[in-house]
Amino acid sequence: MKKILLVGSGNVATHLAKNIDNKNYCINQVFSRSKENAKKLIEFLGCNWTNNPKKILKSDITIISVNDDSIKNVIKFLPNIPTVHTSGCTGIDILKKFNDYGVLYPLQTFKKNVDMNIKEVPFLIETNSKKFESDLFQLASNLSKIVRVTDSKTRKKIHLAAVFACNFTNHMLVLAKKICDESNNDFSLLLPLIKKTFNQINENPIKLQTGPAFREDLGVIEEHLKIIEDKNLKKIYNFLSQNIIQTKNENI
Amino acid sequence: MKKILLVGSGNVATHLAKNIDNKNYCINQVFSRSKENAKKLIEFLGCNWTNNPKKILKSDITIISVNDDSIKNVIKFLPNIPTVHTSGCTGIDILKKFNDYGVLYPLQTFKKNVDMNIKEVPFLIETNSKKFESDLFQLASNLSKIVRVTDSKTRKKIHLAAVFACNFTNHMLVLAKKICDESNNDFSLLLPLIKKTFNQINENPIKLQTGPAFREDLGVIEEHLKIIEDKNLKKIYNFLSQNIIQTKNENI
């Protein structure tokens, strides 16, 4: 059984740890800033915790799962064992001080308290050597059915696409709810529409586009702009509508 | 059985007609510009078609289901029978030349060839009189389980929210696919992420927001902006990220 040093105790770290602590791998220790944040996770795992670099236990692999900005800061404290980070956007080279290093990126959005079937989450991996690739592939396959080897450039593009497909779509729903709330309308009226929109995701989304901008129904667009009071919301509405029209015309 | 004159043969007209032609109502005639566009629909319904105002048959109700911009143009040809339009964004008053008039707005996105369970689609209705409200409520209830009476101002706000919740979310998926395509990545890798995002829609979307902007991870945002080549895509990325940060700070 391989022992893992887990760095971080946030959303991604928590989901990885809960799913990888099994007969092949065990989380040996969690290294994170505050015990308070890590509390639930270390209770669940029944493992050691430290924020003191001198008290890091001997392990076989380190998984760094902290904000991109913090990776640089933590690596100076870490022992020279095979080490991976879980970021979609940070290159592999940030870890080059280690002999064996790589990336284990789960292409999914995680919230600590929301359950998740990690077997269905695609993992994109990258390593500095073929030898370590095989080890990391094994570790990733222990977590998920879908493992792909991709370089840093490719992973960054997929991560960017994921921001559009997940964070920005969700933000559109946030704005839709805001519009409903501000006009005392029930957001749940929109649920059948939202369900319909996303039940069709196996299709090419450009084929499913509808709405005033796609129809170039300028009267409706003007009417909408009139009733939007918030300056930034108006700017988003206007800019996205223009972009929908432009994208449509590129695809004709 | 009440006879309906249907004006238009587009996406909404087609779905309404196919679902309302039953023992209580029948589509008596389709009035639309081109027979070619209406062909499949009139074959399905087995009903009369015309584009000649002089050949309009006597009916009990007119349903106008054309682009918002075209409503004004068609009403001058129509007989003075109870008349409704199906627009989310056009006010009721556009129909005031009729004695009885109203709005029958299905809050859903329609494509002609994509099947749809119309029973689950919320219909927002509005009329110029209580008497006609009862008739229109009956007609709408014949189509759907969810019928609400709302005024024009409210309907416009819900329609605006629907554009964000459906058209703009779908456009985000279009852009995500574009990023994948341009970097030779498989869009289907993102499907588990998209499914997860939209399986949670019964929750308040603000509670589900994740991503670099929500974490205010400025390093990742900067990295993404570096790899986006398209000027407009860069503008959308930047503006939406700023708006996510701002919305988060308003909600704290």
Side-chain angles (χ1 to χ4, degrees), chain A residues 12 16 63 68 84-90 102-110 121-126 136 140 143-144 146-148 150-152 154-163 167, chain B residues 189-190 193 212 215 224:
Chain A
V12 178
L16 287 184
I63 299 179
D68 291 66
V84 298
H85 71 62
T86 61
S87 161
C89 191
T90 297
V103 181
L104 172 76
Y105 168 55
L107 181 45
Q108 186 52 279
T109 175
F110 297 96
V121 174
F123 275 76
L124 309 184
I125 66 167
E126 182 180 5
L136 190 58
L143 283 160
S144 166
I146 312 155
V147 181
R148 301 260 183 105
T150 50
D151 62 20
S152 291
T154 300
R155 188 177 61 257
K156 276 184 202 184
K157 288 276 188 179
I158 295 178
H159 183 251
L160 173 66
V163 167
N167 306 145
Chain B
L189 268 182
L190 292 176
L193 175 67
R215 291 194 305 273
H224 280 162

Side-chain angles (χ1 to χ4, degrees), chain A residues 206 243-251, chain B residues 171 174-175 178:
Chain A
I206 190 81
N243 202 255
I244 288 172
I245 296 173
Q246 192 196 326
T247 307
K248 175 190 168 186
N249 292 333
E250 279 166 11
N251 274 277
Chain B
H171 188 54
V174 169
L175 296 177
K178 205 173 162 191

Side-chain angles (χ1 to χ4, degrees), chain A residues 69 108-109 111 116 154 156 159 167 170-171 185 193 196 205 209-211 217 223-224 232 243 246, chain B residues 69 108-109 111 116 154 156 159 167 170-171 185 193 196 205 209-211 217 223-224 232 243 246:
Chain A
D69 286 350
Q108 186 52 279
T109 175
K111 286 273 188 191
M116 154 77 59
T154 300
K156 276 184 202 184
H159 183 251
N167 306 145
N170 191 67
H171 188 55
N185 284 302
L193 174 68
K196 173 88 191 319
Q209 193 60 278
T210 57
D217 198 338
E223 196 64 33
H224 278 162
N232 286 323
N243 202 255
Q246 192 196 326
Chain B
D69 286 349
Q108 187 51 280
T109 175
K111 285 275 187 189
M116 156 75 60
T154 301
K156 276 183 202 184
H159 183 251
N167 307 144
N170 191 67
H171 188 54
N185 284 303
L193 175 67
K196 173 88 192 317
Q209 192 60 278
T210 57
D217 197 340
E223 196 64 31
H224 280 162
N232 286 322
N243 202 255
Q246 191 195 326

Side-chain angles (χ1 to χ4, degrees), chain B residues 57-75:
Chain B
L57 299 177
K58 194 177 170 325
S59 299
D60 301 301
I61 306 164
T62 304
I63 298 179
I64 303 173
S65 197
V66 297
N67 281 357
D68 292 67
D69 286 349
S70 314
I71 299 176
K72 255 192 198 138
N73 300 329
V74 298
I75 58 177

Side-chain angles (χ1 to χ4, degrees), chain A residues 119-136:
Chain A
K119 281 273 161 223
E120 307 294 332
V121 174
F123 275 76
L124 309 184
I125 66 167
E126 182 180 5
T127 53
N128 70 321
S129 74
K130 276 286 162 198
K131 158 83 185 61
F132 186 46
E133 183 181 303
S134 143
D135 288 354
L136 190 58

Side-chain angles (χ1 to χ4, degrees), chain A residues 221-235:
Chain A
I221 294 177
E222 208 174 295
E223 196 64 33
H224 278 162
L225 288 171
K226 258 189 239 163
I227 60 171
I228 302 175
E229 281 155 28
D230 182 272
K231 200 175 85 230
N232 286 323
L233 200 65
K234 208 186 272 273
K235 212 164 148 186

